[in-house]
Amino acid sequence: MGAGRRIRVRGQVQGVGFRPFVWQLARERGLTGVVLNDPEGVLILAAGADLDGFERALVERAPLLARVDAVESLPCEVEAEGFVIGASEGAGAETRVTPDAASCADCLAEVRDPGDRRHGYAFANCTHCGPRFTILRGLPYDRAQTTMAAFPMCDACRAEYGDPGDRRFHAQPVACPDCGPRLWLEPEGSLAEAVARLARGEVLAVKGLGGFHLACDATNAEAVALLRARKRRPSKPFALMAALEVIRRFARVDGAAEALLRDPAAPIVLLPKGCETLPEGVAPGMAELGWMLPYTPLHHLLLDAFAGVLVMTSGNLSGEPQVIGNAEAREKLGPFADAFLMHDRDIARRLDDSVERATPPMVLRRARGRVPGTLPLPEGFGDAPQVVGYGGQMKAAICLLKNGQALLGHHLGELDEALTWDAFLDADRDYAALFDHRPEVVAVDLHPDFRASRHGAARAEAEGLRLEEVQHHHAHLASCLGENGWPLDGGPVAGIVLDGLGLGPDGTVWGGELLLGDYRGYARRGWLAPVSLVGGDRAQAEPWRNALVRLDAAGLADWADGLFPDAPRDMLRMAAARGLNAPLSSSAGRLFDAVAACLGICPDRQSYEGEAAMRLEALAGEGGGAGYEFGHDGPVIDPGPVFRALHDDVARGAGAAQVSARFHAGLARAFAGRARALVRDGEAEAVALTGGCFQNARLLRETLDALGDVPVLVHRTVPANDGGLALGQALVAAARVVAD
């Protein structure tokens, strides 16, 4: 027995090589004791000299994929000879699960080494890389709890797995060609035949980490058009995969972009187009393309042999969830794919690729590689109960609060789609079971017809839980505050919340808002002048409807008649006048649609959500110019003068790019000026920028410039769009409980 310490390490510390790291560190320092995994993270019993230095090194020298949130220690007696790695103990889930990580350099070197036993093996991995969350069935993270349980290790792999000095020590997916998953091509052939099919312009279904992709040669316009026709995806941009040296030929890659591409999360990164061009069909009307590096040995082997650019888009029918099972792929992707590159390692949960931007940094879709990472709750939430937030109707995601952490789940999609709704219900059960979550409070959107809201209300009633309804834009504001660690008692902020839609407490549809508030509450201090959403949901899909009502409101009905001669204008005007399926809305998203329709840069009906606004952003480019002036009537921000000036610019022959640039600048300044005034007058401590419109990099930059030197909070790791809504809901609900 010796005087020592009981050291608890919390955070992302399982499945990242943390125990062998501790073992090596302890041996260096001559310590005795044991290290093991348990439901709360990593537990260390250690005795010896300089335990303070040992604790500091646990943070300072932690493995690459580790995230240490806390190191806590108490004196204890330690009985041990030497230092050993103990078996995992307990059940439950208080620790963080590691996201999937891109292949490391060491594993890739082995895969490419003809003399290595893993040469050409598509499933090489170690504690520094490989699948994690996509193969996990339960905690603690041990092989028996993963989809690798079906592959007993050979003697060579077992020796690596059991050697604390090996980088594969307790790497749960460890495998080799003798004992691990296998790869094949259907209907027949090898990886070389798969590459030959791609070169011939065929479409290939490829099984990845979180689901299947559909791949084709991105330089072949006919192959791209074939994939679009088969997938019924007329114009939504395709993601691309290539080696970094190839990406540099087609995109502008600065230091920040390269670092993000090389990040272990391996997201899709939006990059400006470069010197060489790809067919317009890859991303019609866009100034940026979404690129990712190969992130598994299979992808590397495929790209090494193909030596080009591959479209790598989700394997699904547009609107449906990504396919993950082999039988499911044969059934659903058969009409799309000419062949299937399959393997027999099951995928435990479907995860789309994350989508991000390096400059300005932001996450547009939080998925593979980023989940299930957690965020620490801000100061003041220490007594927060367990809460589940169910998000909105679009870009659905679930958030769990527990033990001072917020776990924001992965992107699920639009809940109108039946299969996506099934995936939402699966995710709800999955996260609750995996993280041993027992909520006391359920948080939902204020809109009673959102499927997630109905689900949350039903659960609260059935289980006797407290139900908190949270207004949509208040949730956006709270999400931005929470991501930035704004304390519960940090004071009010001016929230510029610009998005597509959210039900306001006055029964109208909000979407262009200036709020003054915090987690506990808010006041509406400014908003876009509302107009009718004629046709309800159809107004979101058909931009010309929004242009018609905005032009009419600006006194430009004659111009609207000329722009849309074949539209049922009289019927829509009558519906707007009578309020028939025409709710009033202050939506900034629909304002973008209206401007795009006036410029004729979008189809009559959008083929995907946000298409018109994205085309308008792309059109603005790097151009400048004086922003259009909005009208001001008390709290109302009136776009009428913008449309009159826009009309005059078009009549004078101004280019669409100049008009787009002036619109972006004008909208930014209209809201920034009011928000600055709230800070200047001492009513707000800072400004928060949130809502889906702030995924628009041009709008974000213009708004930051217009705000000048006031403190500003922006999104970086949580989506500004509805993908971050559940986090805000959960924080608002927790704040209300703490205040009671």
Side-chain angles (χ1 to χ4, degrees), residues 535-555:
D537 288 344
R538 292 189 67 179
Q540 297 182 63
E542 299 176 359
W544 65 267
R545 292 173 178 262
N546 305 291
L548 180 73
V549 295
R550 281 294 179 189
L551 292 176
D552 283 1

Side-chain angles (χ1 to χ4, degrees), residues 110 250 369 400 611 701 735:
E110 293 172 348
F250 296 94
L400 311 181
E611 179 178 6
R701 285 193 294 265

Side-chain angles (χ1 to χ4, degrees), residues 645-660:
L646 189 158
H647 169 267
D648 293 344
D649 273 354
V650 171
R652 285 194 296 266
Q658 180 186 355
V659 171
S660 177

Side-chain angles (χ1 to χ4, degrees), residues 251-596:
R252 303 199 318 255
V253 183
D254 61 15
E258 179 176 346
L260 187 55
L261 285 165
R262 292 184 181 276
D263 189 276
I268 297 169
V269 181
L270 298 182
L271 300 173
K273 292 181 179 178
C275 297
E276 295 188 42
T277 60
L278 291 170
E280 178 65 12
V282 168
M286 297 296 107
E288 297 177 316
L289 299 176
W291 293 90
M292 58 181 159
L293 295 176
Y295 55 83
T296 70
L298 170 56
H299 292 130
H300 281 279
L301 292 169
L302 190 61
L303 265 297
D304 286 352
F306 185 72
V309 181
L310 291 177
V311 166
M312 197 67 75
T313 189
S314 295
N316 62 324
L317 187 64
S318 287
E320 291 189 359
Q322 191 175 19
V323 168
I324 62 172
N326 292 352
E328 182 188 16
R330 295 183 188 103
E331 175 188 353
K332 292 191 173 182
L333 303 184
F336 309 157
D338 297 297
F340 295 81
L341 196 55
M342 298 277 212
H343 61 74
D344 56 356
R345 184 179 66 203
D346 288 342
I347 298 172
R349 59 186 52 80
R350 70 184 85 236
L351 288 181
D352 287 307
D353 297 308
S354 292
V355 181
E356 306 185 15
R357 182 179 273 120
T359 309
M362 64 175 73
V363 172
L364 290 85
R365 184 169 74 196
R366 192 169 184 273
R368 178 197 50 76
R370 298 299 184 197
V371 291
T374 62
L375 298 167
L377 295 185
E379 179 184 342
F381 283 91
D383 295 329
Q386 292 191 33
V387 182
V388 57
Y390 280 124
Q393 186 76 357
M394 306 178 73
K395 298 177 175 61
I398 295 169
C399 183
L400 311 181
L401 301 191
K402 181 179 179 181
N403 292 346
Q405 298 285 320
L407 190 156
L408 180 59
H410 60 283
H411 167 85
L412 292 162
E414 321 310 327
L415 298 186
D416 285 334
E417 166 58 48
L419 294 177
T420 304
W421 176 242
D422 290 341
F424 175 90
L425 297 177
D426 288 344
D428 188 25
R429 292 187 291 267
D430 181 36
Y431 279 110
L434 191 58
F435 297 98
D436 193 23
H437 194 258
R438 299 182 177 89
E440 300 172 39
V441 185
V442 175
V444 299
D445 192 272
L446 187 64
H447 200 303
D449 294 330
F450 281 0
R451 299 185 81 168
S453 297
R454 295 200 303 266
H455 171 73
R459 181 181 182 187
E461 182 177 5
E463 299 180 23
L465 308 177
R466 176 168 169 170
L467 178 68
E468 290 292 338
E469 296 178 333
V470 182
Q471 198 278 327
H472 192 91
H473 301 91
H474 186 203
H476 273 307
L477 174 60
S479 175
C480 188
L481 295 178
E483 176 184 349
N484 285 275
W486 192 259
L488 179 61
D489 294 321
V493 302
I496 302 177
V497 192
L498 306 180
D499 69 350
L501 62 86
L503 181 65
D506 59 358
T508 67
V509 179
W510 292 9
E513 313 303 320
L514 175 63
L515 305 182
L516 178 65
D518 56 16
Y519 300 104
R520 296 185 179 96
Y522 67 94
R524 195 185 189 201
R525 298 297 293 269
W527 59 89
L528 288 173
V531 292
S532 298
L533 287 176
V534 186
D537 288 344
R538 292 189 67 179
Q540 297 182 63
E542 299 176 359
W544 65 267
R545 292 173 178 262
N546 305 291
L548 180 73
V549 295
R550 281 294 179 189
L551 292 176
D552 283 1
L556 296 169
D558 289 346
W559 192 33
D561 292 342
L563 287 173
F564 314 114
D566 299 325
R569 302 184 308 281
D570 292 343
M571 182 176 69
L572 264 65
R573 285 167 172 151
M574 183 182 299
R578 296 180 179 178
L580 300 175
N581 194 23
L584 289 176
S585 174
S586 59
S587 169
R590 303 293 77 78
L591 183 63
F592 272 89
D593 291 351
V595 173

